[in-house]
Amino acid sequence: MASPAQQLPPGWAAEWDQNAQRYLFIETATGRTQWEPPFPDPEGLNRAPSASPPPTQQTHHTKRRQYAPGQTQAYYGSDTIAPPAPGYTAPGAQPGQQPQLFTPGLAGDGQFAQQQVGPQPGQAPYYGGAQPEPEYINAPGFGQGPTYQPPGVNALADQFSQMGVGQKGLRLFTTNLLTAPPEPLELHRPPPDIVLPPNSCLSNSPFANADSSYQRCTVNAIPTSHSLLQKSKLPLGLVITPYRTVKEGDEPVPLVTDTVIARCRRCRTYINPYVQFIDGGNRWRCCMCSMSNEVPQLFDWDQVRNQPGDRWARAELNHGVVEFVAPTEYMVRPPQPAVYVFLIDVSHNAIQSGMVATATRTILENLDRIPNEDNRTKVAFIAFDTSLHFFSLPAGSVDSSMLVVSDIDDVFLPKPTDLLVNLTESRPAIEGLLGRLNDMFQDNHTIGSALGPALQSAFKLMAHIGGKIQVLSASLPSVGAGALKNREDPKVLGTSKESGLLQAASPFYKTFAIECSRAQVSVDMFLFSSGYQDVATLACLPHYTAGQTYFYPAFNASRTEDAIKFAHEFGEVLAMPIMLEAVMRVRASKNLRMSAFHGNFFVRSTDLLAMPSVPQDLSYAIEIQIEDNITAPFVVLQTAVLHTTCYGERRIRVITTALPTTNNLSEVFASADQVAIATLLANKAVERSLTHKLEDARDAVFNKMVEILSAYKASMTAAGAGASAQLALSENMKMLPVLLLGLLKTVGIRQSAQIPPDLRAYAQCLLTTLPSQLLIPYIYPTFYSLHNMPPECGTVGEHGVIMPQPLPLTSERLERHGLFLIEDGQTIFLWVGRDAVPQLVMDVFNLPNYEVLRGGKTTLPVLDNAFSQRVNAIIQKTREVRRGVYYPHLYVVKEDGEPPLRLWALSCLIQDRADVLPSYQQFISQLRDKVNGSSY
């Protein structure tokens, strides 16, 4: 707890005067007292935090909502990124003066009329104009810029709450979307603070609440009743990435190894920093159901040193994310070895495209990276065209033999042993096979794919253990079980029947996937077809078995870029430490219920999610319902994942988030997490497009935004239910409209008659599996200007490569002589203006001028000049900075180049109008007209 001495200049103390309802400041050396703070009063400290200052001479309109001038500036958009806190004194005002109040909706002092005229001198114009001093993502202070509460107020509020003066809460800032353009840096800010009541946590640890990259809620203050939530119209849900990768600089997840696991007897909640110890510390009260439980005998015993331990040092009482080594009662069977079965398509298309050669070389190069610390990992290889080719890999031998099964209607294993082999013991035979596999089928002219029978045989091989099937397929399954027909019909695209193409065409894959889930088998699909491959149907397998789908349309390994992208991604998937035989359950405090689940898993019972394997960086979204009024001051949401590591250890990962409750609508709005809301709505939109129509999904997203804006206008602004010339929303949600516009413009949801069903189905897979850190750039891409970036950009700073400042996504920022980078996490575009000077083209591409530069997929040369090295460093950092295995392609786009490539790159600039899709300005106007309804 900060002391007053830390907040005030040396030699001063603060004391609360009950009669005057303000602070008295005392100079300790002389005993002199004064009402004015001994420093300028930017934080409004000279007023009681719990009460608004009295209005000055208000004789009418008493029921209108009133704002201090600082808030007014925030309301109408100012040239700062985040507004000052409410109650900041107006410029030129004396510290002791009361602020003059202003009521929006009334033309007071000409302010309202003046704001409607357009940008005033000294105010930021809508787009462009003089940019504020760039703030780099990697700068030491980034993300600690203006947040929702100035730190000085926080620390003082902490002191005064101990004196019983009042409790800090989130403050609501209102912004006018019509005058506040989207600011990309806003998306890098942390979510709104979680302001828990005093003494709700046992620990002072900063890690007591789970980091938002593991688990984040759509609102960080839970409404106490369903009716209050309904009034806000905000969706309530949880976005979970239980196994996000731990990168350099990230806090590792603490491991509790003593197998002492304290759980509530009634609701089975794991002990966490939000429980209470009672009865002299011998019992603990559950933070979810209030049940009193005994503390386990060995809870206070240090088993390593064999002596009494410090209870308060235990990881589970200090960390929101913790992992326990599970005792034997958490095992149905002993931990199984990791199993990888590779199903490789060797039909004519697969061989000709170079997929088989690239895949076998990648497996060979990554054999040492496949998780195998205990030397128990098992592998098998099955090649398939219209027949199945099994490979016997006897231990200790360098030779392998091929066994062909042509009967695909009644699949059987041709040999009981040596098909599924120990990776270490059969390593020579495996290396030999991978070196020869492509040559064995080099002259294969068979066209057709027996994918269904190949999957059945892989399942027979591994069903007694479980594990992962890695499918590499380059053509539409055409024979045997699960055969599919080409149902791509250009006439259906863009019509109400299009959603039918996004649903599974055959029940085989879902039925087979559920069988796999039961046997702890997970499937990853790598799809490479140059023609239609029915991604929508094949993606059923990863969807229900907790795997992932990777799609490489028109793959051709003779293009180096294609081979590198696939080899990198496949290599990362092979090296990934997977969690096997996992089940996940989310528990919540009384009167909260998990009502719907989105993501790649199978719901085994009402709330138990079965995941045969959990890949890293896969995200899940869960909707929450408030069943009855909540009386507790805070609620706890706890995700528990029981799994076996790929090294054969049974573990439980527990992720705990505590959130305050509130009956105040303004706090609900002030705590809304726009990134989590956009992630949840993306999941819901994909589900709706499959159960209803694509148009319904788009309408649902648009209508949800209208509902939130209408609720905010009715409850939080002076306009109430009447018409308003503004479009008001809280500052912490001001990027939500542009995120939802980006969602409406993604390939997965967009209104268009030109998008092939495979591309649309794959985009929907991404929308439902990407963690927020990858999903947000996917729907709101990143846009940099490279030709005029500051000299430090692209060089290595304290936190790695320094990146340029992201620009708003509008082509107004493109310059004809410039070089720009646009990226969405899946693709990187390097846009070259038609008037680019020869020196720029020479420095970056090593070509004499713009005319000889060719657009398309490329690898940028690293040249012997500083600018080339900086551009390459930025591209490299862009590929590495995000979690996940994806390795984006780089495309050079010439301003007057091929129209399809130009349009693809420009479609990332979502604030522009494109085809039938509105610009951001049009979208905001549509929202305003809807919100105002017929009264406008």
Side-chain angles (χ1 to χ4, degrees):
M1 179 61 69
S3 69
Q6 290 171 307
Q7 291 299 315
L8 297 168
W12 285 88
E15 209 168 312
W16 179 251
D17 189 301
Q18 202 62 42
N19 300 325
Q21 285 291 298
R22 58 197 290 194
Y23 305 119
L24 188 65
F25 294 90
I26 305 158
E27 192 173 14
T28 48
T30 61
R32 186 169 65 83
T33 61
Q34 63 181 59
W35 293 112
E36 290 78 26
F39 48 83
D41 185 18
E43 320 269 323
L45 297 178
N46 209 13
R47 292 185 294 280
S50 54
S52 303
T56 53
Q57 297 175 352
Q58 286 281 331
T59 53
H60 59 289
H61 300 297
T62 49
K63 290 191 177 176
R64 293 255 189 196
R65 182 176 175 78
Q66 295 174 328
Y67 292 76
Q71 286 170 290
T72 313
Q73 186 192 19
Y75 190 90
Y76 291 113
S78 72
D79 53 359
T80 55
I81 284 181
Y88 277 30
T89 50
Q94 293 308 307
Q97 256 181 316
Q98 293 291 357
Q100 185 182 347
L101 285 154
F102 169 79
T103 308
L106 299 178
D109 300 334
Q111 283 168 301
F112 178 84
Q114 185 189 356
Q115 287 292 349
Q116 300 306 306
V117 175
Q120 302 299 313
Q123 195 181 344
Y126 189 79
Y127 287 129
Q131 285 299 298
E133 192 62 25
E135 178 180 7
Y136 299 110
I137 296 176
N138 292 31
F142 182 77
Q144 299 155 15
T147 52
Y148 306 111
Q149 290 177 299
V153 173
N154 279 354
L156 272 161
D158 280 340
Q159 294 168 33
F160 297 138
S161 67
Q162 279 216 330
M163 300 179 207
V165 169
Q167 196 188 318
K168 61 176 183 171
L170 284 172
R171 306 216 181 107
L172 187 69
F173 301 99
T174 300
T175 190
N176 180 9
L177 294 173
L178 296 176
T179 57
E183 173 49 66
L185 283 173
E186 290 284 327
L187 294 172
H188 298 279
R189 299 201 183 291
D193 293 342
I194 296 173
V195 186
L196 288 165
N199 306 322
S200 48
C201 183
L202 291 171
S203 164
N204 290 326
S205 162
F207 308 111
N209 234 340
D211 188 81
S212 60
S213 58
Y214 288 103
Q215 182 165 282
R216 63 199 301 168
C217 189
T218 52
V219 289
N220 280 346
I222 302 289
T224 49
S225 66
H226 180 65
S227 59
L228 186 63
L229 179 64
Q230 283 297 92
K231 199 173 174 189
S232 76
K233 296 297 181 189
L234 294 169
L236 181 56
L238 204 56
V239 176
I240 309 167
T241 312
Y243 289 99
R244 71 139 172 83
T245 41
V246 177
K247 294 208 161 193
E248 207 177 320
D250 287 346
E251 187 69 20
V253 176
L255 181 65
V256 179
T257 54
D258 60 7
T259 68
V260 177
I261 300 176
R263 296 181 68 182
C264 175
R265 283 177 302 143
R266 181 160 58 199
C267 67
R268 308 301 291 148
T269 295
Y270 293 81
I271 198 165
N272 59 70
Y274 301 96
V275 304
Q276 276 180 308
F277 285 107
I278 51 175
D279 192 15
N282 293 321
R283 302 180 74 78
W284 61 278
R285 179 172 284 128
C286 174
C287 53
M288 295 214 193
C289 70
S290 301
M291 177 84 170
S292 167
N293 300 278
E294 281 188 21
V295 174
Q297 281 184 330
L298 292 174
F299 197 72
D300 299 315
W301 186 257
D302 185 336
Q303 293 186 13
V304 179
R305 296 192 182 87
N306 208 19
Q307 65 185 43
D310 177 7
R311 171 183 295 189
W312 306 109
R314 287 189 71 95
E316 62 267 49
L317 298 182
N318 290 287
H319 288 261
V321 184
V322 70
E323 204 157 270
F324 297 96
V325 174
T328 48
E329 58 261 36
Y330 286 86
M331 302 178 199
V332 179
R333 58 180 180 172
Q336 300 297 301
V339 172
Y340 295 84
V341 176
F342 297 94
L343 293 189
I344 303 173
D345 183 349
V346 291
S347 63
H348 182 69
N349 290 350
I351 296 290
Q352 289 308 307
S353 69
M355 181 274 279
V356 177
T358 312
T360 48
R361 190 177 67 248
T362 305
I363 299 170
L364 188 58
E365 287 171 358
N366 287 282
L367 283 176
D368 286 328
R369 295 179 73 203
I370 292 175
N372 187 27
E373 270 187 17
D374 51 1
N375 293 330
R376 296 200 312 157
T377 300
K378 293 176 179 293
V379 295
F381 296 88
I382 302 172
F384 65 95
D385 42 27
T386 52
S387 309
L388 305 181
H389 308 264
F390 294 85
F391 296 94
S392 172
L393 302 157
S397 164
V398 291
D399 295 323
S400 58
S401 53
M402 181 166 75
L403 307 150
V404 182
V405 174
S406 301
D407 181 2
I408 54 173
D409 295 324
D410 185 15
V411 173
F412 63 93
L413 298 178
K415 198 177 176 197
T417 58
D418 293 341
L419 297 178
L420 183 65
V421 296
N422 181 292
L423 174 58
T424 308
E425 292 168 9
S426 297
R427 180 73 179 260
I430 291 167
E431 288 178 355
L433 170 66
L434 290 169
R436 307 198 307 276
L437 189 66
N438 187 60
D439 297 337
M440 289 162 70
F441 294 97
Q442 190 61 56
D443 301 321
N444 188 1
H445 295 294
T446 310
I447 293 174
S449 160
L451 175 60
L455 284 162
Q456 289 171 328
S457 56
F459 181 74
K460 277 188 181 343
L461 204 56
M462 65 196 301
H464 61 291
I465 305 175
K468 242 183 170 358
I469 302 177
Q470 307 277 10
V471 178
L472 300 113
S473 169
S475 45
L476 188 69
S478 57
V479 293
L484 299 169
K485 291 186 170 61
N486 186 340
R487 54 185 179 142
E488 188 173 30
D489 182 358
K491 293 197 290 294
V492 172
L493 301 184
T495 70
S496 59
K497 293 181 181 171
E498 185 177 5
S499 58
L501 298 178
L502 302 175
Q503 292 158 0
S506 158
F508 167 81
Y509 293 95
K510 181 175 179 182
T511 313
F512 179 74
I514 292 166
E515 255 183 82
C516 285
S517 179
R518 250 185 234 117
Q520 304 296 351
V521 172
S522 171
V523 184
D524 279 347
M525 300 294 287
F526 291 83
L527 305 173
F528 302 87
S529 179
S530 50
Y532 177 67
Q533 196 163 7
D534 206 343
V535 172
T537 303
L538 297 180
C540 268
L541 285 165
H543 181 75
Y544 291 106
T545 63
Q548 274 185 289
T549 303
Y550 301 91
F551 185 39
Y552 306 90
F555 176 84
N556 189 338
S558 61
R559 275 196 305 265
T560 323
E561 290 79 20
D562 280 12
I564 289 172
K565 176 181 170 69
F566 166 55
H568 180 277
E569 293 180 0
F570 190 34
E572 290 299 308
V573 169
L574 293 176
M576 189 187 288
I578 49 173
M579 326 301 158
L580 303 162
E581 299 190 69
V583 285
M584 179 162 94
R585 179 173 265 137
V586 182
R587 295 178 175 85
S589 293
K590 193 178 167 191
N591 298 329
L592 290 177
R593 181 175 68 83
M594 306 299 132
S595 59
F597 304 90
H598 306 275
N600 286 6
F601 45 69
F602 180 62
V603 184
R604 196 180 287 171
S605 61
T606 49
D607 64 343
L608 189 70
L609 310 180
M611 298 185 276
S613 79
V614 187
Q616 288 184 321
D617 298 310
L618 205 61
S619 189
Y620 312 94
I622 298 176
E623 292 176 58
I624 303 173
Q625 209 167 350
I626 300 175
E627 295 195 300
D628 205 350
N629 289 359
I630 301 170
T631 52
F634 68 96
V635 296
V636 177
L637 300 158
Q638 189 178 74
T639 301
V641 190
L642 174 64
H643 66 277
T644 303
T645 67
C646 42
Y647 311 118
E649 191 171 44
R650 199 72 174 143
R651 288 190 183 177
I652 309 152
R653 178 164 289 199
V654 178
I655 303 166
T656 307
T657 303
L659 299 168
T661 57
T662 181
N663 53 13
N664 183 338
L665 193 56
S666 71
E667 277 191 12
V668 177
F669 280 121
S671 75
D673 180 347
Q674 57 194 0
V675 167
I677 292 171
T679 308
L680 179 62
L681 292 179
N683 278 274
K684 288 180 64 126
V686 169
E687 186 183 51
R688 194 164 182 84
S689 72
L690 298 176
T691 55
H692 294 68
K693 297 198 288 282
L694 275 163
E695 193 179 349
D696 292 341
R698 290 191 288 267
D699 289 347
V701 171
F702 182 78
N703 291 338
K704 176 48 80 176
M705 192 67 243
V706 170
E707 283 179 2
I708 293 171
L709 288 164
S710 301
Y712 193 87
K713 177 166 87 88
S715 312
M716 296 291 127
T717 70
S724 170
Q726 300 133 26
L727 192 58
L729 193 59
S730 61
E731 180 76 21
N732 51 300
M733 281 196 284
K734 83 173 190 190
M735 291 298 285
L736 187 59
V738 79
L739 288 178
L740 296 191
L741 176 63
L743 174 59
L744 292 172
K745 289 187 173 186
T746 57
V747 174
I749 307 289
R750 181 160 83 212
Q751 182 182 349
S752 170
Q754 265 82 51
I755 299 173
D758 277 354
L759 286 179
R760 213 187 261 285
Y762 180 60
Q764 293 199 343
C765 291
L766 293 175
L767 287 173
T768 54
T769 57
L770 291 178
S772 296
Q773 195 217 19
L774 279 165
L775 178 71
I776 295 307
Y778 184 58
I779 62 177
Y780 187 85
T782 311
F783 180 29
Y784 299 126
S785 171
L786 300 182
H787 62 285
N788 57 1
M789 59 184 173
E792 64 271 23
C793 294
T795 62
V796 178
E798 191 184 338
H799 299 279
V801 174
I802 298 169
M803 301 296 272
Q805 183 174 10
L807 303 175
L809 293 174
T810 168
S811 55
E812 288 178 25
R813 290 304 181 92
L814 291 173
E815 295 170 7
R816 295 181 70 165
H817 61 273
L819 178 71
F820 297 86
L821 185 145
I822 312 167
E823 63 91 22
D824 66 358
Q826 302 293 316
T827 315
I828 300 173
F829 298 104
L830 210 52
W831 177 280
V832 189
R834 67 173 74 178
D835 294 342
V837 293
Q839 189 61 48
L840 176 88
V841 180
M842 177 60 83
D843 284 354
V844 178
F845 302 101
N846 203 21
L847 292 168
N849 54 40
Y850 175 82
E851 283 67 35
V852 296
L853 176 65
R854 291 189 56 186
K857 210 178 287 183
T858 189
T859 303
L860 212 56
V862 180
L863 303 174
D864 192 16
N865 68 73
F867 188 66
S868 165
Q869 287 158 12
R870 287 164 60 206
V871 170
N872 272 287
I874 286 168
I875 291 168
Q876 184 70 12
K877 173 84 178 255
T878 299
R879 283 179 166 147
E880 289 173 358
V881 73
R882 299 209 179 92
R883 299 185 163 92
V885 302
Y886 300 102
Y887 185 84
H889 270 316
L890 175 69
Y891 287 87
V892 169
V893 186
K894 296 178 69 172
E895 186 183 338
D896 55 2
E898 297 169 13
L901 187 56
R902 278 182 61 248
L903 289 171
W904 184 18
L906 289 172
S907 71
C908 289
L909 301 178
I910 59 161
Q911 287 169 223
D912 288 342
R913 186 173 177 175
D915 199 14
V916 294
L917 306 167
S919 69
Y920 177 69
Q921 275 302 85
Q922 291 169 319
F923 184 64
I924 288 292
S925 299
Q926 288 171 10
L927 287 170
R928 183 186 64 186
D929 294 348
K930 272 279 189 194
V931 168
N932 284 325
S934 55
S935 61
Y936 184 62

